[in-house]
Amino acid sequence: MAGSWDKSYDLGSQSDDSYQFERLHIEPMYDAFICPLTKQIMRDPVSLENGQTFEREAIEKWFKECKESGRKLVCPLTLKELRSPELNPSIALRNTIEEWNARNEAAQLDMARRSLSPGSGENDIMQALKFIQHLCQKSRSNKHVIRNAELIPMIVDMLKSSSRRVRCKALETLLIVVEEDSDNKEIMAEGDTVRTIVKFLSHEQSKEREEAVSLLYELSKSETLCEKIGSINGAILILVGMTSSKSEHLLTVEKADKTLENLAMCENNVRQMAENGKLQPLLTLLLEGSPETKLSMASYLGELVLNNDVKVFVARTVGSSLVNIMRSGNIQSREAALKALNQISSFEASARVLIDAGILPPLVNDLFTVGMNQLPVRLKEISATILANVVSSGYDFDSIPVGPVHQTLVSEETVHNLLYLISNTGPAIECKLLQVLVGLTSSPSTVLSVVAAIKSSGAIISLVQFIEAPQKDLRVASIKLLHNLSPHMGQELADALRGTAGQLGTLTKIISENIGITEEQAEAVGLLADLPERDMGLTRQMLDEGAFPSVYSRLVTIRQGRSSRFVTPYQEGLVRVLSRITFVLAEEPDAIALCRELNLALQFIELLQANGLDNIQMVSAMALENLSQESKNLTKIPELPKPGFCVSIFPCFSEPPVTIGLCRVHRGTCSLKETFCLLEGQAVEKLVALLEHTNEKVVEASLAALSTLLDDGVDIEKGVTVLFEAEGIRPILDVLQEKRTESLRRRAVWVVERLLRTDDIAYEVSGNPNVNTALVDAFQHGDYRTRQVAERALKHIDKIPNFSGVFPG
């Protein structure tokens, strides 16, 4: 017998491996074995009447061709006519050939075994693997021959070869060996064979990946190997990745996908697929599996962390089924469904899908049901969490019935039930139900219904008490709810906070904490900022509790450059809270003292330049208006010396006394810090600059602050001069002409009338047709007060004669 494949036959010179191996014999081959027609060794030899022997299939084909062509039936060798097409099996010859084949194949198999041993050359290994492939493809029964010869472990060892060609051929050979052979597959399940194959999935060479995927696909047809493949760390993750890869060969992607389909026979594999982003097998089992399987899959779905796109897909696929389980399942099933729905509902789009699937009625029923059929507290907490998630989706909840008589989430009865639960359950459920009300009060379409229900229930006092809750989540939820309510229930909230329970102090403490800027701080300061600014009792209490210095300190810190995603609402809230002290200056001497101590006028002037923060600029201008209105009361008017005796008799000898350093507008001693005079700190120039702002509310607040320089009780002529020097006349006239809002026009008409009391300005304006038209329009279409003021302005520029007053005095 030859020692190597090369000495026996040059297998690399032929393209047909099967033909090569048919020609490769260890024992001599006899001519009688060869079919004269096919020139190959016969498998089913038959004899004609003249004794000639052929391969059955070949001679039958010859006879058929003779018949179809109309020729006589002749022997292909002798060409002599045959009397009968009868074929006689050559049993003895067939047995001899089979015995000869068996001896040769045994010898070749032994050569293959030796070629797959350590130290063999690459070419010998390649030919051995090809021979094994040929043998298995020749007859399925030969696969047990390979198994009995214990060649499968030797082929597996070739997967560790340093030759890429050998590794690829070994993978290809193993596929042929195990194809449709469960016994050979069982052998592959032994040891680390599957782990070795899986490693090829992440190999750089695409050919090896393709062969490995094909082999795993075949192995995955066995349930035992499904479990084995799934147990290999990373196997399913890599396969899932391959199915979504755009760089893989299309056939490889298809095989990876089919492999995963087979692996889904095992629930553990399904869980792994879901964990790695392939959820469809899990969802299919949840929809179509046995009750036990459905429960298992729903439970696992509740444990998964899903991205938002996947949540929408899951909601659309199994949302209705999960909702049905909520309605009618046992406690164990309902718990699994609730946990899954809790995961899915935490994204707005998926929550909307669940609403369409009918989640609200059973959810509300679970929360409100008491007695024998009520859910355990732990499940009510999940139900409350889901409801909070769903409500935050922004759906139109006032049109979805949730009760037997068409109650909605914002019906008075429903809100009262929620308020009752909030006051009579544990902190975890209370927190989630408060979040439900936060969601409902965040929508313009539902907030008023909730406000009405809260007012009718008288629950505002109990809601305010949660401000002092030790649990942060509960405290934050309550503050967010109260903040949402404050524009609609500001006075009720102010009354509640003025009590002695300490909630106001708690809010101040939260706002003042130097821990960065949190959502809780932004909501707390927003709540205080929304309360009625002219509520004297509340402001007095804030003064007594030292709230304003704390707020001022935080505002200074923020302006020094601390950043956070909550910094803008927090800073706006601080400015608004600080500005409320300026609304009580006339009644509260302590407020004036504090404004002086903190130099608030300077702070608000600096805030006028908070570009991009319209609300801060507007509130700062409003605060400066309030401060400036007090300037005329705070300025110190010097006492003039009494005239002497001669002067009293001969006034012509006297000269008016001259006092140096007095404020032109307020006629006394002024300063920014002590009397809040706008002539200091470039306040006028900065306010004038804001008259060109795009936000009309900022413009109106700035104009209101400037109008204090023209108010009764000050030197209006000097005030006009100050505005002229600050180049403010033209912007004021422009505001009048733009007619942005009615309130802004009303303010502009008032200021322009004061300006026109100065003859030079009146003369200049009288020749400006645009200003004239704006004043005439205000005179014709403004409200009663605006028409009166516009009439006076038109008289200043001689557009209306003084004797033709329209409005009687």
Side-chain angles (χ1 to χ4, degrees), residues 691 698-708 732 735 744 747-748 751:
L691 294 179
V698 176
V699 175
E700 184 173 354
S702 303
L703 189 59
L706 290 171
S707 70
T708 61
I732 291 171
V735 170
L744 184 53
R747 177 74 67 177
V751 174

Side-chain angles (χ1 to χ4, degrees), residues 742-778:
E742 186 58 37
S743 62
L744 184 53
R745 178 168 73 168
R746 184 184 308 114
R747 177 74 67 177
V749 169
W750 186 93
V751 174
V752 169
E753 189 276 326
R754 299 275 166 147
L755 295 177
L756 294 178
R757 296 180 186 184
T758 301
D759 292 341
D760 290 344
I761 295 177
Y763 176 77
E764 185 75 23
V765 168
S766 65
N768 187 325
N770 293 328
V771 176
N772 294 341
T773 301
L775 287 171
V776 170
D777 185 71

Side-chain angles (χ1 to χ4, degrees), residues 559 601-610 620 624 686:
R559 294 195 65 214
L602 178 61
Q603 182 69 236
F604 286 122
I605 289 171
E606 291 176 350
L607 288 168
L608 292 175
Q609 295 179 297
S620 299
L624 288 171
K686 292 173 181 176

Side-chain angles (χ1 to χ4, degrees), residues 656-685:
V658 178
T659 305
I660 301 174
L662 297 183
C663 174
R664 291 183 287 170
V665 175
H666 301 115
R667 308 186 188 94
T669 304
C670 278
S671 70
L672 182 63
K673 184 175 183 180
E674 297 297 323
T675 67
F676 321 132
C677 180
L678 294 185
L679 271 62
E680 305 291 332
Q682 294 186 316
V684 176
E685 290 82 355

Side-chain angles (χ1 to χ4, degrees), residues 467-468 475 479 497 502-515 520-529 531 538-555 570 574 577-578 580:
I467 291 174
E468 295 187 285
R475 191 172 66 242
I479 293 173
L497 288 170
Q503 286 92 0
L504 184 61
T506 300
L507 284 175
T508 303
K509 182 180 178 182
I510 291 169
I511 293 166
S512 306
E513 286 182 348
N514 191 14
I515 53 171
E520 182 181 18
Q521 289 181 306
E523 293 290 343
V525 77
L527 167 58
L528 276 184
L531 300 180
L538 187 63
T539 304
R540 178 72 260 177
Q541 188 169 335
M542 292 176 69
L543 279 167
D544 293 341
E545 294 182 3
F548 293 109
S550 298
V551 170
Y552 173 81
S553 175
R554 285 297 287 158
L555 182 59
Y570 183 60
L574 290 174
V577 171
L578 196 60
R580 74 177 293 126

Side-chain angles (χ1 to χ4, degrees), residues 696-749:
E696 63 270 10
K697 292 183 179 180
V698 176
V699 175
E700 184 173 354
S702 303
L703 189 59
L706 290 171
S707 70
T708 61
L709 301 178
L710 308 175
D711 210 348
D712 296 336
V714 304
D715 191 325
I716 296 176
E717 185 176 348
K718 293 296 192 297
V720 173
T721 302
V722 169
L723 291 174
F724 176 79
E725 291 172 353
E727 300 182 355
I729 306 299
R730 176 55 53 196
I732 291 171
L733 295 175
D734 289 342
V735 170
L736 172 65
Q737 297 170 66
E738 289 169 358
K739 298 184 296 185
R740 293 203 226 175
T741 66
E742 186 58 37
S743 62
L744 184 53
R745 178 168 73 168
R746 184 184 308 114
R747 177 74 67 177
V749 169

